[in-house]
Amino acid sequence: MTAQANDFRYVSYAQEVIFGAGSISRFDEFMNRFQGKRFILCTSRSMRSKGQVAALEAALGEGLIAIYDRVQPHVQDVQVVEALELARESNVDAVIGMGGGSPIGMAKAIGFQLNLPMIAIPTTYAGSEMTAVYGVTHTDETPPRKVTVSDPKITPRLVMYDAELTLDLPPELTASTGINALAHCIEALYSKTRNPLSTAAAVEGVRHIHNALFDCFRDGKDMDARAEMFVGAHLAGFSLASVSMGLHHGLCHVLGGTAKIPHGVANSIVLPHAIRFNADATAPQLLPAAEAMGIPVKEDHPTAAIERMRQAIHELIGSMNLPQRLRDAGLSESDLPQLAQIAFQNRTVQNNPKPITEVSQIERILEAAW
Ligand code: NAD
């Protein structure tokens, strides 16, 4: 490791993180961490039909004053206004986000804007629970644009990983949000702002995700695999929170906010292309990930090992029946130039370790992914 890599700063947010199947039923034990006991829950419709809301209602009793249960993907600005109004009217003391990255993002927005503590109960592997960032889609712009807000106060005060809540996560969402977590680790490993802690978390994240993701996809009720996948997603979220992301992350935000492609699906399509684009500049940083996936790297040239890792990730994505081309996610070829333009101006894309100096570089990636 170079001297420069040992010279770093990172921000650690004071948080309590709980792992354990069934922890949600013990939620009341943690309630006295918060001043007052009036909670609002932000969640999505499927959380009601799958019984997770009922489990939280049982744990919180009368403390659950209000529920905003129609959070749509990518946090729409008009919904933030509605949920804010409900939180104000209900005079709540804390905000709970339960579900994927969208309800957690919504709860972060409400908590931040009302200066209230926020609790995250993730049920996918997207990793938002670990970061001090949320995104809101501005629907009054044409095309709509996702704008992120970043502040240390946004970080959830308490994160609860209860693997029982994920037993009903459908195979497609298991697979796509799991690839989202894998992508966080990959981009953290070659991030311009990586440090020894983010690298350690990212390598271990890859190891756990590689070990558990396919098992979760094959048998959603495999409790051991579900619990291990949460450890992988947490490590991925930790690395996401610690460093700046690059091309892959920025491009997926544009494909989500502007082209409305679900976040995990965008991740699954773009990840192999981002790895290939960056390989010549970042292969040495990615070698520990290849090793963690069981790919022999010792006698190889780094780029050859990374190409084998890219191929293995491509095959994993295919084996879980995820879309692998933008056309399969409903994008038409004529949309590509505009998306490339928007992505070229994206700050995260411009943070990519390999410089992106021309729109045509992004156009070529999008064409290859189409
Ligand atoms: P999501 O929150 O939009 O959820 C996708 C679908 O999964 C929804 O229909 C939801 O109802 C369903 N679902 C979730 N958990 C379920 C369960 N256990 N059982 C059945 N259905 C379930 O998608 P996501 O991929 O989790 O999150 C993506 C969003 O989060 C994007 O907007 C992304 O930008 C954001 N995100 C933000 C950060 C951050 O740091 N701010 C990090 C990662 C992702």
Side-chain angles (χ1 to χ4, degrees):
M1 190 166 285
T2 64
Q4 200 187 1
N6 286 326
D7 200 359
F8 66 95
R9 162 187 181 271
Y10 85 101
V11 181
S12 170
Y13 304 110
Q15 274 191 340
E16 183 169 6
V17 181
I18 294 159
F19 284 88
S23 345
I24 197 175
S25 62
R26 297 189 293 119
F27 196 92
D28 57 333
E29 288 172 31
F30 306 100
M31 271 169 38
N32 53 13
R33 311 273 204 281
F34 302 93
Q35 272 188 341
K37 291 193 177 158
R38 295 169 63 87
F39 295 84
I40 180 171
L41 168 66
C42 299
T43 192
S44 54
R45 289 243 190 264
S46 65
M47 294 288 104
R48 254 202 203 285
S49 55
K50 304 278 180 191
Q52 286 93 342
V53 171
L56 194 62
E57 278 171 335
L60 276 172
E62 289 177 357
L64 194 53
I65 301 293
I67 301 180
Y68 186 86
D69 68 356
R70 45 182 189 276
V71 179
Q72 288 166 3
H74 298 303
V75 189
Q76 311 295 307
D77 52 1
V78 282
Q79 290 209 315
V80 176
V81 174
E82 287 174 4
L84 264 174
E85 213 170 279
L86 180 62
R88 280 203 190 95
E89 272 169 13
S90 313
N91 195 21
V92 295
D93 306 306
V95 189
I96 303 172
M98 179 168 70
S102 301
I104 290 176
M106 171 71 90
K108 283 173 162 178
I110 306 307
F112 183 58
Q113 291 184 42
L114 298 183
N115 202 17
L116 295 174
M118 188 261 168
I119 300 150
I121 308 177
T123 64
T124 72
Y125 307 122
S128 174
E129 66 279 1
M130 288 308 296
T131 76
V133 182
Y134 65 84
V136 172
T137 304
H138 288 217
T139 51
D140 55 351
E141 295 184 31
T142 316
R145 194 168 54 98
K146 196 160 171 186
V147 178
T148 52
V149 181
S150 177
D151 190 295
K153 289 198 213 94
I154 293 169
T155 321
R157 184 81 59 82
L158 174 69
V159 180
M160 196 173 261
Y161 289 102
D162 181 344
E164 273 179 13
L165 302 178
T166 62
L167 296 180
D168 284 326
L169 185 64
E172 191 259 325
L173 282 164
T174 297
S176 63
T177 65
I179 295 297
N180 184 193
L182 182 64
H184 293 152
C185 299
I186 299 287
E187 289 236 298
L189 285 170
Y190 61 47
S191 168
K192 281 186 189 172
T193 58
R194 66 186 179 278
N195 64 60
L197 275 84
S198 61
T199 296
V203 173
E204 283 313 298
V206 170
R207 199 183 311 284
H208 287 293
I209 294 164
H210 177 255
N211 213 25
L213 179 56
F214 190 77
D215 288 345
C216 292
F217 168 79
R218 189 174 42 200
D219 174 10
K221 307 281 186 218
D222 181 337
M223 196 57 179
D224 289 342
R226 288 294 194 187
E228 180 169 4
M229 215 21 235
F230 255 163
V231 176
H234 171 73
L235 290 164
F238 176 94
S239 33
L240 165 72
S242 310
V243 297
S244 59
M245 296 277 109
L247 167 71
H248 172 83
H249 192 78
L251 201 48
C252 289
H253 264 253
V254 173
L255 291 169
T258 301
K260 299 246 180 302
I261 298 181
H263 193 58
V265 172
N267 270 264
S268 306
I269 296 170
V270 173
L271 184 59
H273 295 277
I275 294 173
R276 176 177 278 157
F277 176 82
N278 279 326
D280 55 351
T282 65
Q285 286 82 52
L286 290 179
L287 282 180
E291 268 185 313
M293 289 177 60
I295 291 165
V297 301
K298 294 273 182 301
E299 284 132 40
D300 247 333
H301 190 274
T303 48
I306 295 319
E307 174 52 24
R308 291 221 300 279
M309 180 186 85
R310 188 199 68 78
Q311 188 59 34
I313 291 174
H314 177 77
E315 282 165 15
L316 173 66
I317 292 167
S319 70
M320 297 190 293
N321 307 326
L322 288 168
Q324 294 193 283
R325 297 179 306 180
L326 288 171
R327 71 181 79 177
D328 300 333
L331 211 65
S332 67
E333 199 172 9
S334 57
D335 295 331
L336 302 184
Q338 186 193 31
L339 289 168
Q341 275 293 348
I342 297 172
F344 185 63
Q345 283 151 25
N346 182 283
R347 211 177 40 199
T348 311
V349 168
Q350 285 302 337
N351 256 335
N352 193 56
K354 177 171 163 181
I356 296 177
T357 52
E358 289 169 17
V359 188
S360 59
Q361 290 171 287
I362 303 177
E363 269 173 2
R364 280 199 293 278
I365 295 166
L366 288 175
E367 278 158 18
W370 191 79

